[in-house]
């Protein structure tokens, strides 16, 4: 959950998919096909890939804008519970030393 | 026993009040480094910065601000705003090839006063407004003084 980079009054909820040093294969409308995340930044994407204004629109997000981590859904009650992990795709080449723990890999 | 509870409750209330004040009104921080000479010391100053200007009115050119560093979110930087959204600024006034950039909406262009020794927007680009914590209004120690907006009116020589 972070402040919108272009409009600091707004809050944005997205998923962090890559941290500094990782190389991400971007989607349109990002101008470059591959981008290496600079130091102190992260790459956020919405789960709904083609209907989301995320880092593919505004680029890497400085980690100082990230305010908090979303852990649980409280309402509506039929979706109550922990936020599920997304299956790891193959669009990210992780930098050596980055430990990626995905609950889906361990089930 | 009730005396201890009363004291503990008072301490808790004061701590909450101080925390709210720090988050929403003003706070103090230690600021050191050569990038803001001669305005601020190299060996360290205690500066006070306030959160009200960003919330109720706009930050303007010439304001000294404290921001989270875009390259290292655990560090704070203290720089001056040179460009507000929409301004066209020179990227590096010292380099032989003059390049301009338009500051994107919601971002600010920060530069230290000591251009020769300052890592600022010339290195990491425009800084998002959400990273800016507040505007510096005073230096409390070693020599207390109000810190103003650095701009002066240009006097036309006829």
């Amino acid at each position: 959950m972070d402040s919108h980079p272009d409009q600091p009054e707004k809050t944005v909820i997205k998923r962090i998919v890559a941290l500094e040093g990782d190389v991400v294969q971007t989607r349109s409308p990002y101008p470059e096909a591959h981008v290496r995340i600079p130091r102190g930044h992260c790459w956020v994407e919405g789960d709904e890939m083609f209907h989301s204004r995320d880092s593919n629109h505004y680029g890497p997000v400085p980690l100082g804008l990230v305010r908090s981590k979303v852990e649980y859904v409280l309402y509506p009650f039929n979706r109550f519970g922990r936020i599920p992990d997304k299956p790891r795709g193959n669009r990210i080449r992780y930098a050596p030393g980055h430990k990626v723990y995905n609950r889906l890999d361990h089930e | 026993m009730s005396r201890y509870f009363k004291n503990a409750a008072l301490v808790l209330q004061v701590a909450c009040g101080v925390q709210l004040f720090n988050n929403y009104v003003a706070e103090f921080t230690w600021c050191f480094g050569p990038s803001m000479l001669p305005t601020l010391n190299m060996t360290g100053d205690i500066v006070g910065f306030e959160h009200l200007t960003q919330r109720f009115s706009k930050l303007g050119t010439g304001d000294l601000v404290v921001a989270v560093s875009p390259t290292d979110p655990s560090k704070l930087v203290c720089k001056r705003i040179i460009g507000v959204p929409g301004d066209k600024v020179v990227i590096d006034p010292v380099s032989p090839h003059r390049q301009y950039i338009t500051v994107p909406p919601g971002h600010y262009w920060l530069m230290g006063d000591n251009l020769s020794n300052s890592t600022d927007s010339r290195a990491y680009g425009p800084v998002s407004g959400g990273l800016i914590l507040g505007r510096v209004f005073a230096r409390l120690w070693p020599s207390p003084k109000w810190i103003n907006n650095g701009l002066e009116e240009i006097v036309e020589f006829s």
Side-chain angles (χ1 to χ4, degrees):
Chain A
M1 181 155 130
D2 57 283
S3 288
H4 196 289
D6 284 343
Q7 294 155 60
E9 319 82 47
K10 285 200 186 152
T11 309
V12 157
I13 299 188
K14 300 277 174 224
R15 199 182 283 274
I16 294 183
V17 297
L19 290 176
E20 65 188 58
D22 302 338
V23 178
V24 179
Q25 192 178 331
T26 63
R27 294 206 164 93
S28 74
Y30 203 76
E32 294 157 15
H34 291 88
V35 61
R36 183 185 203 97
I37 317 279
R39 190 159 47 112
H41 288 64
C42 59
W43 190 265
V44 294
E45 281 184 2
D47 282 351
E48 193 71 35
M49 26 181 153
F50 298 109
H51 289 102
S52 165
R53 274 192 67 87
D54 48 25
S55 278
N56 291 305
H57 287 80
Y58 43 72
V61 173
L63 282 171
L65 287 180
V66 174
R67 273 199 263 153
S68 45
K69 181 172 164 186
V70 181
E71 290 274 2
Y72 286 90
V73 172
L74 296 179
Y75 182 81
F77 297 124
N78 60 347
R79 278 191 279 150
F80 185 88
R82 233 192 145 94
I83 306 257
D85 278 347
K86 201 170 73 153
R88 207 167 7 136
N90 53 359
R91 289 174 42 240
I92 302 166
R93 190 158 29 119
Y94 295 102
H98 277 192
K99 290 195 285 263
V100 182
Y101 177 81
N102 194 321
R103 278 195 294 266
L104 291 177
D105 292 341
H106 294 257
E107 274 165 16
Chain B
M1 274 304 281
S2 73
R3 189 163 58 94
Y4 288 124
F5 280 137
K6 276 197 187 146
N7 284 345
L10 184 65
V11 167
L12 199 61
Q13 282 169 352
V14 168
C16 286
V18 167
Q19 173 70 3
L20 281 179
F21 189 82
N22 276 354
N23 276 348
Y24 292 107
V25 180
E27 56 180 306
F28 308 121
T29 187
W30 187 253
C31 180
F32 63 94
S35 67
M36 284 302 300
L37 290 169
T39 316
L40 299 177
N41 274 336
M42 189 164 96
T43 46
D45 284 340
I46 299 182
V47 298
F49 63 97
E50 46 96 359
H51 303 272
L52 301 173
T53 312
Q54 200 179 10
R55 197 180 281 268
F56 295 118
S57 69
K58 279 196 163 75
L59 293 170
T61 319
D63 283 341
L64 206 56
V65 292
V66 171
V68 177
S69 167
T71 49
D72 189 350
S74 57
K75 295 199 164 60
L76 298 180
V77 295
C78 181
K79 303 280 176 223
R80 202 178 285 274
I81 291 183
I82 302 291
V84 295
D87 281 354
K88 200 168 170 200
V89 296
V90 178
I91 293 186
D92 195 354
V94 196
S95 89
H97 308 289
R98 180 161 282 214
Q99 281 176 303
Y100 293 90
I101 185 173
T102 309
V103 181
H107 288 66
Y108 295 92
W109 190 265
L110 303 182
M111 289 224 284
D113 284 350
N114 187 6
L115 285 187
S116 57
N117 199 341
S118 165
T119 315
D120 45 33
S121 282
R122 294 174 297 170
Y124 44 70
V127 171
S128 176
L131 289 175
I132 294 189
L133 296 178
R135 184 184 72 100
V136 172
F137 61 91
R139 174 174 72 197
L140 278 88
W141 188 86
S143 54
K145 79 169 181 169
W146 297 112
I147 292 186
N148 297 317
N149 188 311
L151 296 184
E152 289 171 0
E153 288 281 331
I154 296 182
V155 177
E156 294 283 343
F157 291 105
S158 58

